[in-house]
Amino acid sequence: MKKLFFSAKKIMMGICLLFTVGILFMTPKLSVHADERDSNLVNSMNSTLNAPTTGTTDTRTNINEPGSSENAEDLKELNVANSLTITYNNGNGTSAGPIRILLTLTLIALAPTILIMLTSFTRIIIVMHFTRAALNTNTIPPNQVIIGISLLLTFFIMNPVIKEINEKAVQPFDRGEIETTEFLERGVEPLREFMYGQTQVKDVRLFMEISDTEWDGTLDGIPTSVLIPSFMVSELRTAFIIGFLIYIPFIVIDMVVASILMSMGMMMLPPTTISLPIKILLFVLADGWTLIIGNVVKTFY
């Protein structure tokens, strides 16, 4: 049985092999050739690639000769032949993009220091703190409110200075009319004039003597490194003087209340328990916030 099974298997394999060979011999021969349309397309592409890229000798692809531009308007035109030119519409290329980014990031990092040291912020926030301490209301108004009011008043007072910096420094620099060094000089000058008007002469003389520098009595003769600490000392002095004046009426109220309680024999009752509502009532009736904020702002004019 096994021999018969293997014989039948070999016969079937032989039949399949013969059938496959017969199919291969019966298949007609195929021919492969390029279509006429394909050859035309290839010829067209070759002619395009081999064609001159700048046109004929009588045709120019550049409007101006390279390097012949004299101002920002010329750079807005295509002035370099056979190359890609990218120009900045608002500038003439005097300052690179990375330098602008570096300047912007530097100003952002120094913004808190500039806000505190070169503006009216210091005087305003110290006076607001003295007012809250004199009222003895502890955290009323909160620190966030005091800082917010101080910032808004600072922007109100410094608005003319900010406009002058924008007109004299920022806009010309953005148009590419001035260099980076001149931009910094023009931007600092309005701040110097503001600080000089709020700085006392004795503070300037103190730091000029410390730095061993001669002063001719003018703003131009004061270095910025001397003007800034002089301005800060003057601001602290002025703010503490205003704070002392604010404290006087509230101290009088505390003394009167304490004397009345002592005369009545109520020594165990804290005077602040009685004086606090009285101070708040008088402060509201006198429109204290308007008086304090209005007079602090007027000290800068």
Side-chain angles (χ1 to χ4, degrees):
M1 290 296 292
K2 291 184 178 179
K3 291 182 178 179
L4 182 62
F5 175 75
F6 285 116
S7 299
K9 186 177 181 181
K10 290 180 178 179
I11 293 172
M12 291 297 295
M13 291 178 62
I15 293 173
C16 291
L17 180 61
L18 291 175
F19 183 75
T20 305
V21 172
I23 292 175
L24 291 176
F25 279 104
M26 293 173 62
T27 304
K29 186 182 294 184
L30 298 176
S31 61
V32 180
H33 59 84
D35 193 2
E36 183 178 358
R37 290 174 296 177
D38 296 336
S39 61
N40 293 336
L41 179 61
V42 172
N43 294 332
S44 175
M45 292 177 63
N46 290 333
S47 61
T48 303
L49 293 174
N50 296 327
T53 57
T54 58
T56 61
T57 55
D58 297 332
T59 304
R60 292 174 56 88
T61 58
N62 62 325
I63 298 175
N64 300 322
E65 289 291 342
S68 62
S69 59
E70 297 180 354
N71 51 40
E73 297 297 329
D74 293 343
L75 281 174
K76 294 180 181 179
E77 303 292 339
L78 180 64
N79 56 4
V80 179
N82 303 326
S83 63
L84 177 63
T85 302
I86 300 176
T87 59
Y88 181 64
N89 289 334
N90 294 329
N92 59 1
T94 55
S95 60
I99 296 179
R100 290 176 177 267
I101 296 174
L102 179 62
L103 268 176
T104 303
L105 294 178
T106 303
L107 291 176
I108 292 174
L110 295 177
T113 304
I114 295 173
L115 178 64
I116 295 173
M117 298 181 61
L118 308 183
T119 64
S120 59
F121 181 80
T122 301
R123 183 188 305 183
I124 296 172
I125 196 168
I126 291 176
V127 171
M128 298 293 290
H129 174 76
F130 271 121
T131 303
R132 185 177 67 178
L135 284 169
N136 199 22
T137 54
N138 297 327
T139 58
I140 304 297
N143 291 330
Q144 293 86 346
V145 176
I146 291 180
I147 294 173
I149 293 175
S150 301
L151 285 173
L152 292 176
L153 293 177
T154 299
F155 289 139
F156 174 77
I157 294 170
M158 302 299 296
N159 189 45
V161 179
I162 295 173
K163 286 184 177 180
E164 187 175 356
I165 293 174
N166 182 50
E167 293 174 358
K168 292 185 177 180
V170 176
Q171 291 184 4
F173 180 72
D174 189 58
R175 293 194 297 265
E177 299 175 356
I178 58 177
E179 299 289 342
T180 305
T181 305
E182 189 176 358
F183 163 73
L184 295 176
E185 293 176 355
R186 291 190 180 186
V188 172
E189 192 59 32
L191 287 173
R192 283 173 53 86
E193 294 178 358
F194 170 79
M195 290 188 292
Y196 182 71
Q198 305 298 326
T199 305
Q200 298 185 14
V201 176
K202 61 180 180 180
D203 295 326
V204 177
R205 294 189 184 277
L206 171 64
F207 286 96
M208 293 294 283
E209 291 176 1
I210 294 174
S211 62
D212 196 15
T213 306
E214 295 293 334
W215 183 36
D216 56 1
T218 62
L219 174 60
D220 296 334
I222 306 176
T224 305
S225 58
V226 173
L227 183 59
I228 292 176
S230 304
F231 171 73
M232 288 298 298
V233 173
S234 297
E235 286 294 285
L236 290 174
R237 181 187 296 107
T238 304
F240 272 74
I241 291 173
I242 298 173
F244 170 75
L245 296 176
I246 292 173
Y247 253 102
I248 291 177
F250 296 107
I251 291 176
V252 171
I253 294 174
D254 288 333
M255 291 176 63
V256 171
V257 172
S259 299
I260 294 174
L261 292 177
M262 288 287 291
S263 62
M264 296 176 63
M266 304 175 64
M267 292 179 293
M268 300 301 294
L269 182 64
T272 55
T273 305
I274 305 299
S275 63
L276 179 59
I278 295 176
K279 288 190 290 186
I280 294 176
L281 178 62
L282 292 177
F283 190 75
V284 173
L285 292 177
D287 200 6
W289 288 117
T290 302
L291 290 175
I292 291 175
I293 293 176
N295 284 283
V296 170
V297 172
K298 289 179 181 179
T299 58
F300 292 97
Y301 291 93

